[in-house]
Amino acid sequence: MTTTSEPTELSEPALSVRQVLTLERVLAGEPEVVAGAGQLDRPVRWVHVAEAPDVGVMLTGGEMVLTTGVLLAGDEDKQAEYIRSLHRAEASAVVLGLGRAFPAPPEVMRRAAERCGLPMVVLHRPFPFAELTEEVQCRLVRRKFAAVSLSESVRTALTALITAGAPLQSLLDEVASHSACPVVVTNLAHRVLATAGERSAVDDVLRDWERIARQAGGSEGDGWIRAELGGRGERWGQIMLCGHRGDTATGRLLADRAAEALVLHRMLGGNSAHTWEEQSAQSLLTDLVSGVVPARQLLPRARAAGLPVNRRTFVPLVVRDVEPDQLDRVLRMVGLSGLVAELADGAVAVLLSLARDQDALVLTANFAARVHSEAARTVVAAADPRTAWDDVPTGLREAQHVADAADSSAALDLPAVVRLRDVHLRGLIRLLRDDPHVQSFAERELDGLLRAADEDMLSVLRTYLATGRNKSRTAQLHHVSRPALYRRLEAIQTRLGVDLDDFEQAASVHIALLAHDAQQS
């Protein structure tokens, strides 16, 4: 795994110059920033008290240097060189205690510090440097152990989730709980694969994702912290902490630990970036179908997932007996934009996004024809095209309903694209199957056969009614002679107490049987 910045060093946690200047002990010295005010967010790795003019050779970078300047007084060249040497050593700041050597801020040192961009602070009141070093060093040590503890806590939690076979979303939820900000996983094209965090905050991030992601892509300002996902020399995505409010070092640590876990999750689970794209589409389409989340709130997620949504026509589809990757391939073959996801019942939802000037019916028919060439016995169910995003959930549920009804209509001659009008009575019964009145009607009409639990008689009755009460065809399908079929039909009529030659009674039994089958499925 690689990251966008140097790996976080747990042994070197830092405070910023600005944070040091807000400490109570420092405020007692009445600090004044006289140069480098724009660089106060520099990290302070350590505090060093030094009076030697050549202190720069003793520094390794990131130190806040405290001095009274007693060895610099009266020599402006030494004063300027002192500041330049600190700059070359990458010191974070210089703090000068005013007193005998310098009763006022030395202008030469101030100008040199301003040119170098080195924060220079003067203390107007006498101040024991030992108190400052003690305060800062103690805080740095505490931060060091806090960073180690956080690192181990995050790693342990994520490893436990991976070991337990938890899905990607569980890992991201854990990261979001530690970072207290939205977490986003993208592919290399900045398409969102997964998110975690408070829903409203995530939606705010995704609302203008394309612009925000590319704008924040080259820096880690404003709490945007990234770690790349990949291995074996190949990058395939990145994880981003969006608006992390803690210090940058902690954010980088969290991002690095999260990236390590995601790479391990992929390796152990045999997952790929493409699979994560499927999971993203599945989450979005499942939420659309369920209606639990309003469609308007899901619009940023759809846009961030790469689905064109502005001034588009949407065609909701549900396809049976085909794998999602086959439908993905068909989408690419016909050059259409859309999302593909497997639903809970094994059906596959497809949401096509078409330009307004495209013929939705023709393109849907072309898509279905390609699907049938891949899987001849599949069912492609469609709702009517929608031009409003808010109507998409209703369309997906309609397509799912049509697919359910068509799937149980083996005896019907269905078109390549099945719509609500093609499933007739069977579709209505499927729609009403959970109604208590319909359930009670089915139990009452079929009571004689259901109590006997005679599946063979139910099968004969089902075929007889589905073939339009064609006895020859029913006998042929059940591989029995006509006299044997007559005896079975007589037994069925006796148990049900009906006359199947009477159209109304036969229709009543047929509707009850359709309702029973719909409930069983």
Side-chain angles (χ1 to χ4, degrees):
M1 184 200 74
T2 57
T3 61
T4 58
S5 60
E6 291 299 315
T8 303
E9 294 291 341
L10 295 181
S11 60
E12 298 186 359
L15 294 167
S16 69
V17 175
R18 192 187 307 278
Q19 289 172 319
V20 172
L21 296 181
T22 61
L23 299 178
E24 286 188 19
R25 291 188 180 181
V26 179
L27 291 174
E30 296 182 7
E32 178 190 359
V33 179
V34 297
Q39 302 294 322
L40 295 183
D41 290 321
R42 280 184 171 186
V44 177
R45 185 180 56 80
W46 207 242
V47 176
H48 191 71
V49 180
E51 299 292 353
D54 59 347
V55 64
V57 299
M58 296 180 282
L59 305 180
T60 58
E63 295 91 349
M64 174 180 277
V65 177
L66 311 180
T67 183
T68 62
V70 66
L71 299 181
L72 302 174
D75 192 329
E76 293 187 349
D77 290 339
K78 281 187 178 181
Q79 294 170 21
E81 178 56 27
Y82 182 82
I83 295 297
R84 289 193 292 267
S85 68
L86 294 182
H87 171 64
R88 291 193 296 270
E90 298 182 350
S92 60
V94 59
V95 178
L96 175 67
L98 300 181
R100 285 184 307 163
F102 293 101
E107 187 63 21
V108 172
M109 294 179 69
R110 191 198 66 77
R111 288 199 303 267
E114 195 66 56
R115 285 194 298 269
C116 293
L118 177 70
M120 180 176 173
V121 181
V122 297
L123 300 175
H124 287 277
R125 292 174 61 90
F127 185 86
F129 284 165
E131 291 187 11
L132 175 57
T133 57
E134 178 185 10
E135 176 78 8
V136 174
Q137 317 301 39
C138 286
R139 288 177 178 266
L140 290 175
V141 169
R142 286 198 297 269
R143 288 166 68 89
K144 170 185 176 180
F145 285 105
V148 172
S149 176
L150 175 63
S151 176
E152 289 308 307
S153 174
V154 173
R155 179 184 279 120
T156 299
L158 295 178
T159 300
L161 288 171
I162 294 172
T163 303
L168 170 66
Q169 189 61 53
S170 296
L171 272 68
L172 296 182
D173 289 341
E174 184 70 24
V175 175
S177 70
H178 285 282
S179 65
C181 70
V183 177
V184 177
V185 175
T186 73
N187 61 16
L188 296 181
H190 299 287
R191 297 290 166 80
V192 174
L193 306 182
T195 62
E198 184 182 347
R199 190 72 264 161
S200 60
V202 171
D203 288 344
D204 287 342
V205 169
L206 297 184
R207 192 161 286 115
D208 195 15
W209 174 254
E210 190 71 16
R211 180 186 63 80
I212 292 174
R214 295 186 183 280
Q215 191 175 50
S219 66
E220 291 188 345
D222 299 324
W224 285 73
I225 300 173
R226 306 171 297 129
E228 293 180 3
L229 304 174
R232 300 176 182 175
E234 179 185 5
R235 294 172 54 239
W236 42 267
Q238 65 180 355
I239 181 169
M240 302 180 71
L241 307 186
C242 307
H244 178 63
R245 295 185 178 181
D247 61 86
T248 302
T250 301
R252 287 176 181 166
L253 181 150
L254 287 170
D256 287 347
R257 294 296 171 266
E260 290 170 1
L262 296 192
V263 172
L264 181 61
H265 181 270
R266 177 191 179 191
M267 291 172 60
L268 294 181
N271 292 326
S272 65
H274 178 68
T275 301
W276 285 3
E277 289 175 352
E278 289 179 352
Q279 292 176 7
S280 174
Q282 183 178 37
S283 173
L284 175 60
L285 292 183
T286 299
D287 284 347
L288 280 169
V289 170
S290 69
V292 173
V293 182
R296 182 58 52 183
Q297 293 184 21
L298 296 172
L299 189 58
R301 286 171 58 187
R303 184 182 290 111
L307 184 73
V309 295
N310 294 332
R311 296 189 56 78
R312 305 290 287 188
T313 297
F314 303 102
V315 181
L317 304 168
V318 171
V319 186
R320 291 279 188 183
D321 302 319
V322 67
E323 294 298 322
D325 59 344
Q326 290 179 282
L327 296 179
D328 269 325
R329 185 166 60 251
V330 170
L331 275 180
R332 291 193 296 271
M333 289 171 60
V334 298
L336 296 179
S337 298
L339 295 178
V340 176
E342 187 170 5
L343 300 178
D345 61 355
V348 180
V350 181
L351 181 60
L352 300 181
S353 175
L354 310 175
R356 290 282 176 88
D357 58 355
Q358 292 180 300
D359 191 322
L361 297 180
V362 170
L363 291 177
T364 303
N366 292 343
F367 174 79
R370 287 280 192 174
V371 172
H372 286 300
S373 69
E374 293 269 327
R377 298 179 61 83
T378 192
V379 170
V380 179
D384 291 333
R386 263 71 174 165
T387 56
W389 174 257
D390 287 343
D391 294 335
V392 169
T394 303
L396 283 168
R397 289 192 288 272
E398 178 184 315
Q400 191 174 31
H401 161 65
V402 173
D404 287 345
D407 196 42
S408 61
S409 304
L412 301 180
D413 185 18
L414 296 172
V417 180
V418 187
R419 303 184 187 277
L420 196 57
R421 62 178 175 270
D422 300 313
V423 292
H424 307 295
L425 176 62
R426 189 179 299 270
L428 176 63
I429 296 301
R430 298 284 294 195
L431 191 63
L432 300 175
R433 63 183 175 181
D434 294 326
D435 188 295
H437 297 293
V438 174
Q439 295 171 354
S440 176
F441 169 76
E443 292 290 322
R444 185 171 61 251
E445 289 291 302
L446 301 176
D447 180 65
L449 291 181
L450 296 179
R451 278 192 293 109
D454 194 329
E455 288 297 328
D456 181 62
M457 283 195 173
L458 278 173
S459 178
V460 169
L461 176 62
R462 187 178 293 109
T463 304
Y464 179 61
L465 295 173
T467 58
R469 295 183 294 172
N470 187 320
K471 295 176 181 176
S472 297
R473 180 60 178 156
T474 302
Q476 180 183 17
L477 291 173
H478 283 269
H479 308 289
V480 297
S481 64
R482 286 175 64 97
L485 176 66
Y486 294 158
R487 288 192 295 272
R488 291 189 187 185
L489 291 176
E490 288 175 4
I492 289 171
Q493 292 180 101
T494 299
R495 289 191 180 183
L496 296 180
V498 299
D499 179 7
L500 293 178
D501 288 330
D502 181 88
F503 176 78
E504 185 173 338
Q505 293 184 53
S508 182
V509 171
H510 192 189
I511 292 172
L513 188 57
L514 289 175
H516 170 74
D517 289 345
Q519 292 157 17
Q520 295 304 306
S521 63

